[in-house]
């Protein structure tokens, strides 16, 4: 009889699941989250029905594949709060997010999705969002971040950065550094030109959802 790991999945079943997750992480990193379950199954060397027996939907697969990374995202935001210089903490966090995005095309897309079935994922993302709000307030209080900056502007940065990464190939790292340089100058106080009103949280969320509406299932 096959052994069970801590009363959970049998050892061979757990290994098979991890193999599927590893394949999904590779495909998502290289191509983003628009890939189909069939493409993930092909990369893992299994049939699509086999993949779907373990993960009922692509959302369930994405949630488990990115659980560890969203925890790192939260930890990075919390670690940035420990910097004595609020502006350095804020900008170093944004640079770290951009670096993560350079090696994983699915990263920014993953941050715009919700996975109510994955409590670990959602808890990690809420931790990160709370820390980001505090990073923003610290930088504003220090007089280094423009007063009209909002957390949704970080989503804007990541989406813009994703386009640059996707379109610049081998020069992605250099283009990334240039874009971040411009954006961080724009974010800095006092802000040379007033910005148009920012979209609301609900409007931002609806716009992000539309990015996934046409993705293959």
């Amino acid at each position: 009889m096959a052994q069970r790991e801590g009363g959970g999945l049998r050892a061979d079943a757990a290994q098979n699941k991890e193999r599927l997750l590893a394949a999904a992480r590779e495909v998502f990193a290289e191509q983003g989250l628009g890939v189909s379950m069939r493409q993930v199954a092909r990369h893992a060397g299994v049939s699509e029905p086999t993949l779907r027996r373990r993960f009922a939907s692509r959302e369930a697969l994405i949630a488990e594949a990115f659980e560890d990374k969203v925890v790192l995202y939260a930890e990075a935001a919390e670690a940035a709060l420990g910097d004595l210089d609020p502006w350095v903490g804020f900008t170093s966090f944004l640079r770290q997010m951009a670096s993560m995005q350079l090696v994983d095309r699915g990263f920014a897309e993953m941050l715009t999705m919700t996975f109510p079935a994955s409590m670990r994922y959602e808890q990690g993302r809420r931790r990160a969002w709370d820390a980001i709000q505090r990073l923003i307030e610290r930088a504003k209080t220090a007089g280094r971040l423009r007063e009209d900056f909002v957390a949704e502007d970080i989503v804007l940065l990541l989406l813009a950065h994703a386009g640059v990464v996707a379109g610049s190939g081998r020069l992605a790292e250099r283009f990334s550094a240039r874009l971040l340089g411009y954006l961080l100058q724009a974010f800095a106080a006092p802000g040379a030109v007033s910005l148009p009103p920012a979209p609301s949280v609900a409007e931002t969320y609806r716009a992000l959802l539309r990015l996934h509406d046409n993705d293959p299932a």
Side-chain angles (χ1 to χ4, degrees):
M1 180 179 292
Q3 291 182 338
R4 291 181 176 269
E5 295 186 340
L9 292 174
R10 293 181 308 172
D12 57 346
Q15 290 171 359
N16 289 338
K17 180 178 180 181
E18 185 51 45
R19 181 166 60 87
L20 295 174
L21 286 171
R25 292 182 189 112
E26 290 176 3
V27 175
F28 293 147
E30 292 171 2
Q31 302 179 44
L33 303 186
V35 297
S36 66
M37 293 285 275
R38 182 175 300 174
Q39 288 172 286
V40 174
R42 186 182 303 122
H43 188 71
V46 301
S47 67
E48 185 177 352
T50 297
L51 178 64
R52 287 187 179 275
R53 277 197 295 273
R54 181 62 66 194
F55 302 99
S57 66
R58 190 177 52 168
E59 288 72 22
L61 176 61
I62 292 170
E64 285 211 47
F66 281 102
E67 273 187 351
D68 291 341
K69 183 153 286 189
V70 81
V71 171
L72 291 176
Y73 171 57
E75 290 175 347
E78 290 168 347
L81 286 169
D83 198 298
L84 295 179
D85 186 322
W87 179 247
V88 171
F90 174 76
T91 58
S92 65
F93 170 72
L94 295 185
R95 293 183 191 280
Q96 188 170 353
M97 294 303 96
S99 294
M100 292 173 71
Q101 202 173 30
L102 276 171
V103 297
D104 192 335
R105 287 187 60 182
F107 174 66
E109 295 175 68
M110 171 271 296
L111 296 178
T112 69
M113 301 178 72
T114 56
F115 303 99
S118 175
M119 289 304 298
R120 184 166 180 255
Y121 179 97
E122 284 302 316
Q123 287 170 358
R125 196 168 66 164
R126 288 170 187 168
R127 276 177 57 196
W129 193 251
D130 178 67
I132 287 169
Q133 295 284 6
R134 290 159 61 197
L135 281 171
I136 290 171
E137 289 308 312
R138 287 178 78 232
K140 286 182 179 179
T141 300
R144 301 297 306 278
L145 180 64
R146 57 188 302 156
E147 285 296 324
D148 52 1
F149 185 92
V150 292
E152 288 72 30
D153 289 325
I154 293 180
V155 177
L156 181 64
L157 179 151
L158 289 173
L159 291 175
H161 187 258
V164 167
V165 171
S168 53
R170 294 180 181 178
L171 294 175
E173 189 169 350
R174 290 177 59 190
F175 276 63
S176 167
R178 186 77 172 176
L179 177 66
L180 285 174
Y182 276 125
L183 291 176
L184 292 179
Q185 285 185 29
F187 294 164
V193 180
S194 297
L195 294 173
S200 68
V201 174
E203 289 169 332
T204 301
Y205 181 65
R206 285 197 297 271
L208 293 170
L209 284 180
R210 280 197 290 273
L211 293 175
H212 307 289
D213 282 348
N214 297 320
D215 285 349

